Amino acid sequence: QVQLVESGGGSVQAGGSLRLSCVASGYSYSRHCIGWFRQAPGKEREEVVEIDSDGMASYAIAVKGRFSVSQDYVKSTLYLHMDSLKPEDTAMYYCAAGVCGLGYGYWGQGTQVTVSS
């Protein structure tokens, strides 16, 4: 059973930075894909970045060049580094994992990011 716990959200002014953390237990790097999603009020959930079983990251166009991911394998933690934040980045951010190719079956509780102009 994969369990995911996010943290690191908060309020920041436009242009600022935040780092989100996702601690993953029961996760297999060779079998699972993991990623970050976000959902703003009144909008559909969207994928921010996906990391496949080879460790390759694919970013959404909206965040490419501003967001990046890193992993601490010892701490079983996935980080989302967010720079040059914009008000439109305001959303609840979720960490998700699943068997690659079969969709995301495991979700964290989410962490709120609010960017003010």
Side-chain angles (χ1 to χ4, degrees):
Q1 182 78 7
V2 177
Q3 292 186 322
L4 306 167
V5 179
E6 306 99 327
S7 62
S11 297
V12 65
Q13 289 193 326
S17 299
L18 281 174
R19 186 185 75 169
L20 305 184
S21 301
C22 172
V23 179
S25 59
Y27 177 77
S28 168
Y29 291 100
S30 63
R31 187 163 174 260
H32 289 109
C33 287
I34 192 167
W36 287 95
F37 289 75
R38 66 186 182 185
Q39 187 167 21
K43 294 189 177 181
E44 291 189 357
R45 186 175 60 199
E46 61 175 348
E47 184 175 270
V48 175
V49 59
E50 178 184 73
I51 299 94
D52 64 20
S53 55
D54 294 323
M56 297 296 294
S58 300
Y59 297 91
I61 292 174
V63 305
K64 211 166 188 178
R66 300 187 297 120
F67 291 11
S68 62
V69 291
S70 61
Q71 296 193 72
D72 185 327
Y73 295 99
V74 174
K75 295 182 179 179
S76 298
T77 302
L78 174 70
Y79 299 101
L80 179 65
H81 306 269
M82 306 186 295
D83 297 319
S84 302
L85 282 162
K86 304 175 181 180
E88 50 263 44
D89 294 318
T90 295
M92 184 71 79
Y93 283 71
Y94 298 91
C95 181
V99 176
C100 293
L102 297 182
Y104 290 94
Y106 306 99
W107 293 83
Q109 82 287 353
T111 185
Q112 178 68 38
V113 172
T114 302
V115 184
S116 58
S117 57

